[in-house]
Amino acid sequence: MHNRPACDEADASSGSMKELDRQLTDEQWQLIESLFPAKAPSPQGGRPPAPTRDCVEGILWILRSGARWKDLPRCFPSASTCWRRFREWTEAGIWKQAWARLLRKLDRRGGIDWSESMADGTFASAKKGAIA
């Protein structure tokens, strides 16, 4: 099993997430929380589902850091749990809805200068055995 890093030394034993590790403010979370369905406990019992916000925070940490899923710090739910929820929420279009809500809020506050915008992206195909 891969030994995931803790978010900081104080959290290493408990595995809990401190406010410092949050990717979203409480205000941002309240704005999008209703979009993310909470997982119900399994009727067969077992481990209770990881909290929805903690999974969102873990996913955002991966997206912002560019790290591999297996390097997700222990203060977040497991990498496999976060990855599964990421896939489910992506397929359901939830991320796009959350992004739109947050963007609308920022626009209403005058936080977006629509006269300036740019798109950035890089694509480089690397086919196995192909000559570059």
Side-chain angles (χ1 to χ4, degrees):
M1 182 172 183
H2 185 71
N3 189 11
R4 298 186 302 153
C7 287
D8 65 45
E9 290 307 312
D11 269 354
S13 61
S14 68
S16 64
M17 187 170 19
K18 290 185 173 183
E19 287 302 314
L20 306 171
D21 304 315
R22 295 273 185 213
Q23 305 293 303
L24 295 170
T25 65
D26 288 338
E27 180 185 8
Q28 291 168 329
W29 175 243
Q30 288 169 0
L31 189 62
I32 63 173
E33 179 179 13
S34 64
L35 296 171
F36 294 90
K39 283 276 190 191
S42 171
Q44 289 84 27
R47 181 183 297 194
T52 302
R53 181 171 183 178
D54 291 352
C55 288
V56 170
E57 297 283 354
I59 292 164
L60 291 176
W61 186 89
I62 288 289
L63 295 174
R64 285 185 175 171
S65 70
R68 300 171 301 178
W69 285 103
K70 70 180 186 176
D71 294 329
L72 186 67
R74 287 190 309 248
C75 60
F76 299 110
S78 74
S80 58
T81 295
C82 289
W83 181 84
R84 268 193 312 274
R85 301 259 188 110
F86 176 71
R87 187 188 65 213
E88 291 168 10
W89 296 333
T90 299
E91 290 171 356
I94 292 171
W95 290 111
K96 188 174 181 180
Q97 293 173 49
W99 174 76
R101 277 191 190 179
L102 292 166
L103 193 61
R104 276 192 302 275
K105 178 85 170 184
L106 185 60
D107 188 33
R108 284 190 206 116
R109 289 183 171 175
I112 300 174
D113 180 358
W114 290 106
S115 68
E116 292 185 27
S117 62
M118 72 178 212
D120 183 19
T122 302
F123 179 82
S125 64
K127 295 186 172 40
K128 189 174 180 177
I131 298 174

